[in-house]
Amino acid sequence: MLLSIVGFGISIYLLMVHWSIIGQAVCLGVGDCQYVNTSIYSELFGVPVALLGALTYVAFVALIALIGRGIGDDVTRLAMFFVAVIGLLFSLYLTYIEVYVLHEICPWCVFSAIVITFITALAFLELREWQAAD
C-alpha cells in the first residue's frame, strides 16, 4: 500500500509538471525532467503518461483493499500481478526512451520505475504464496 501511495505521489507531481501547473520540474541535479516530461513520448494517444501512472497506482490501492477484505482472492491477486507486470514493462519501455532516444534521465521517472519494480515483485510473491496455500 505504501509503495502505491508513493508511486501515486510521484505520478501526480509529474502530471502537474506536464500540465504546467507548478512550472519547472525539480530534477534533483540529475538529467532534464522537463524535457522528458514534455517530450512527444510523455503522452500516449493524447493521455499524459503520468496520468496513466497515477491511475495504475490507484488501481493498486483498490486491489490491495480488495485483497485485504478477502474479496476475489485468486482473481484479485492475479489482477494485481497482471497490472504490475504491464506497468513494469511500460516503465522499462519509457526508461529505454529516456536513455537511448531522448538521452536524458528524469530521476522522478526512475523512482517510479523502482516503485513499480518492487510492487511487481511483491505481487508475484503474494500470488505465489496464495497459490501455495491452496
Side-chain angles (χ1 to χ4, degrees), residues 36-47:
V36 171
N37 204 29
T38 57
S39 75
I40 61 169
Y41 300 100
S42 66
E43 293 188 356
L44 183 65
F45 304 114
V47 178

Side-chain angles (χ1 to χ4, degrees), residues 10 13-14 25-37 95 98 104-115:
I10 293 168
Y13 173 73
L14 291 173
V26 177
C27 292
L28 308 172
V30 178
D32 188 347
C33 300
Q34 198 69 28
Y35 177 65
V36 171
N37 204 29
T95 301
E98 282 182 72
E104 288 292 347
I105 290 289
C106 167
W108 297 107
C109 303
V110 172
F111 293 153
S112 183
I114 292 168
V115 168

Side-chain angles (χ1 to χ4, degrees), residues 1-12 57 111-112 115 119:
M1 182 70 78
L2 180 60
L3 288 170
S4 299
I5 293 168
V6 168
F8 179 78
I10 293 168
S11 295
I12 291 299
Y57 290 117
F111 293 153
S112 183
V115 168
I119 289 173

Side-chain angles (χ1 to χ4, degrees), residues 11-108:
S11 295
I12 291 299
Y13 173 73
L14 291 173
L15 184 61
M16 292 190 317
V17 169
H18 181 82
W19 282 339
S20 300
I21 293 172
I22 59 172
Q24 293 288 326
V26 177
C27 292
L28 308 172
V30 178
D32 188 347
C33 300
Q34 198 69 28
Y35 177 65
V36 171
N37 204 29
T38 57
S39 75
I40 61 169
Y41 300 100
S42 66
E43 293 188 356
L44 183 65
F45 304 114
V47 178
V49 169
L51 178 59
L52 296 175
L55 293 174
T56 300
Y57 290 117
V58 167
F60 288 141
V61 169
L63 288 167
I64 291 166
L66 292 174
I67 289 169
R69 293 180 180 243
I71 300 172
D73 292 333
D74 283 343
V75 173
T76 308
R77 284 173 172 79
L78 191 58
M80 178 81 169
F81 179 67
F82 179 74
V83 171
V85 167
I86 297 298
L88 178 61
L89 291 174
F90 192 60
S91 184
L92 289 172
Y93 163 75
L94 291 173
T95 301
Y96 169 84
I97 294 296
E98 282 182 72
V99 174
Y100 294 105
V101 176
L102 299 176
H103 305 288
E104 288 292 347
I105 290 289
C106 167
W108 297 107

